[in-house]
Amino acid sequence: MRYPQGGGLTSERQRFRAELRLWAAERFTQGEASSVIAKDLRVCVRSVQRWRQAWDEGGPRALRSQGPASLPRLSEKQFTQLEAELAKEPAAHGWEDQRWTLSRVKTVIGRRFHLAYTIQGVRKLLVRNCWSCQVPARRAMERNDDAVAGWVKDVWPCAEGSRRPVKPGSSSRTKPASP
């Protein structure tokens, strides 16, 4: 499931969904059609069909919640240790420049915790723990704000160009010369 703050369903919502599946199981025993059950319970027909298949194979026990699809591989304590490692800057881990990339974070996780993550898995791990894309903490020392402001004022408008047509257009698509 995709929830930005690492959430998921609340325990109340999980219980509600489990009750839906059990209500569907009661109606399976009565021989009702999947489309009727789906309409009454306000779920999609495919969900009811999956529930019916599980119910056919394992009875009402098969409709119980199996828990979350996957648990985080790094514990809270380990993630706190990872944050401490990331605070040390990339140079402390052997990289010359000061950029943290997902592949570098993946490498640190592998070295420190002996776990193999994918790049997407690292991204999800960081987003789940409220990390965002890298943003510089300070501006470059070489930056000249007056030169940037002058460039934006003088050069950029010329480079961008005008969006208005230079001459009036035609009212006809097929005869551009017509008035």
Side-chain angles (χ1 to χ4, degrees):
M1 292 182 200
R2 298 178 185 176
Y3 295 94
Q5 278 76 35
L9 296 177
T10 62
S11 58
E12 177 183 326
R13 191 72 182 152
Q14 288 173 344
R15 282 192 300 275
F16 174 74
R17 287 193 172 186
E19 288 174 10
L20 275 182
R21 291 190 299 270
L22 294 176
W23 289 337
E26 291 174 10
R27 297 180 72 178
F28 295 155
T29 59
Q30 298 169 3
E32 290 188 42
S34 296
S35 58
V36 174
I37 297 171
K39 185 177 179 183
D40 290 346
L41 297 179
R42 299 177 65 187
V43 296
C44 68
V45 176
R46 182 65 188 123
S47 291
V48 175
Q49 291 170 344
R50 279 195 312 269
W51 298 343
R52 185 183 297 271
Q53 182 179 5
W55 180 75
D56 287 339
E57 293 172 1
R61 284 186 85 117
L63 295 178
R64 289 186 182 166
S65 175
Q66 304 296 318
S70 65
L71 297 173
R73 296 171 66 196
L74 280 182
S75 67
E76 292 294 325
K77 181 180 177 185
Q78 289 173 322
F79 190 79
T80 304
Q81 293 171 357
L82 175 64
E83 286 180 317
E85 293 296 322
L86 296 178
K88 291 180 184 175
E89 303 289 324
H93 294 279
W95 289 287
E96 294 179 10
D97 61 355
Q98 294 297 307
R99 293 180 300 130
W100 277 118
T101 62
L102 292 175
S103 61
R104 289 180 178 183
V105 175
K106 174 186 171 195
T107 303
V108 170
I109 291 171
R111 288 177 184 167
R112 181 76 168 88
F113 305 106
H114 307 289
L115 291 173
Y117 266 85
T118 62
I119 298 293
Q120 292 82 11
V122 171
R123 184 189 63 78
K124 289 177 183 178
L125 173 72
L126 293 175
V127 167
R128 189 181 311 125
N129 287 283
C130 300
W131 280 60
S132 63
C133 296
Q134 182 178 8
V135 178
R138 56 191 176 277
R139 292 185 179 208
M141 289 176 47
E142 299 85 10
R143 180 179 168 121
N144 182 346
D145 288 331
D146 295 330
V148 171
W151 186 89
V152 169
K153 181 180 173 188
D154 301 329
V155 178
W156 179 244
C158 297
E160 187 177 40
S162 174
R163 296 191 186 258
R164 285 192 221 158
V166 177
K167 55 185 176 183
S170 171
S171 61
S172 172
R173 288 187 185 185
T174 56
K175 292 186 177 181
S178 66

